Amino acid sequence: MAVDVMNPGPDYLAFWREYHLCTLTTHRPDGTPHVVPVGVTYDPPAGVARIITNKTSRKIANILAAGPAGARVAVCQVDRGRWATLEGRATVRTEPEVIADAVSRYAERYGRTPKPDPDRVVIEIALDRALGRA
């Protein structure tokens, strides 16, 4: 079912606030999918999802390989019959204030603050599609 990215219903939004590991799907330069577990935060008013990660990860390489406009990606979470997918264009952010904000959002959703990492970056997904049943 289609969902309004910037104005999801209360059940959909509540589902994205629960503790769930998600998957991120990117594409390798050869076009094959790369799917990995990640923690995701969803910011409907901004139309953005965020993932904190290490700058040397394969997912970052895949996004950067897509060029300056970013890469089409999807994040998904499932819990029994409930599921939610967010799609959009991912870019890599390195600004300290963007990273600090993303870490704070992660800590709020997942109940723990990750240890400091000088190689941390943020995958910021400008969302244009949401699907699911929550």
Side-chain angles (χ1 to χ4, degrees):
M1 291 188 242
V3 175
D4 183 341
V5 168
M6 297 181 78
N7 190 25
D11 292 341
Y12 193 83
L13 185 55
F15 187 44
W16 276 103
R17 290 185 172 150
E18 295 172 10
Y19 185 110
H20 294 287
L21 289 179
C22 304
T23 59
L24 167 69
T25 302
T26 61
H27 289 92
R28 297 178 185 95
D30 69 2
T32 58
H34 178 255
V35 183
V36 293
V38 292
V40 176
T41 61
Y42 175 31
D43 182 359
V48 169
R50 296 174 183 88
I51 299 164
I52 57 175
T53 190
N54 189 286
K55 69 181 180 183
T56 63
S57 70
R58 177 78 250 174
K59 55 190 162 287
I60 294 298
N62 292 342
I63 292 166
L64 293 175
R72 290 287 307 170
V73 302
V75 291
C76 184
Q77 65 182 23
V78 177
D79 180 42
R80 298 181 183 240
R82 299 183 304 157
W83 63 276
T85 299
L86 301 171
E87 298 177 12
R89 189 156 301 276
T91 54
V92 178
R93 302 288 303 269
T94 60
E95 304 93 330
E97 64 277 7
V98 172
I99 294 169
D101 178 61
V103 167
S104 175
R105 291 171 187 274
Y106 177 95
E108 183 178 333
R109 180 174 188 195
Y110 292 100
R112 71 173 190 84
T113 301
K115 65 181 178 180
D117 179 357
D119 291 331
R120 180 170 289 133
V121 295
V122 175
I123 297 171
E124 190 173 87
I125 306 166
L127 301 170
D128 57 27
R129 188 172 188 195
L131 305 164
R133 184 184 341 182

